Amino acid sequence: MTEQVTPLLSQLLTSWISGEESEEFPLANLSNAAAILFENLADVNWAGFYLYNQTKDELILGPFLGKAAVVRSKPGSGVVGQGYESQESIIVADVHQHPGHIACDSASNAEIVIPLTRANGEKLGVIDIDSPHTNRFTDQDKADLEHFAQTLLAYI
């Protein structure tokens, strides 16, 4: 039987949160998670979070690194809203060919969105990462980022 290996991004996140003893500070953990993604993924120009606001029924910009971004997105709208609504990870090889893509940074050419959903079904938002390179994100990236999302959920 093959042993499951924890992806490096998840290891970095757990080590950082444990080292900082920040388990009870969700905003700090989201902020450092964005930095870990931005600094450790090659060829990305934006990494961060959109968090669901039940009162507004919108995804609201959360901690991120990159150029200024759209603040509000409706569930189902754009790649972020589509990922949130479908609760499935989405890899977009070329954002210019994706129906409904909402452009924030004209340099972005590829995108990946990973839902953040608790085991009880509570939908918190999504991880959103952009790249200036088409076809940047792979199935392995998706698997690693899904693991990262599950790791992060314990700390937010």
Side-chain angles (χ1 to χ4, degrees), residues 130-151:
D130 292 357
S131 172
H133 303 286
T134 56
N135 298 303
R136 159 58 185 90
F137 300 105
T138 65
D139 287 338
Q140 185 62 57
D141 290 322
K142 179 178 155 224
D144 289 351
L145 290 166
E146 287 172 344
H147 191 283
F148 184 87
Q150 290 306 306
T151 302

Side-chain angles (χ1 to χ4, degrees), residues 30-41:
L30 283 166
S31 299
N32 280 325
I36 287 168
L37 293 171
F38 192 78
E39 292 176 359
N40 291 283
L41 289 172

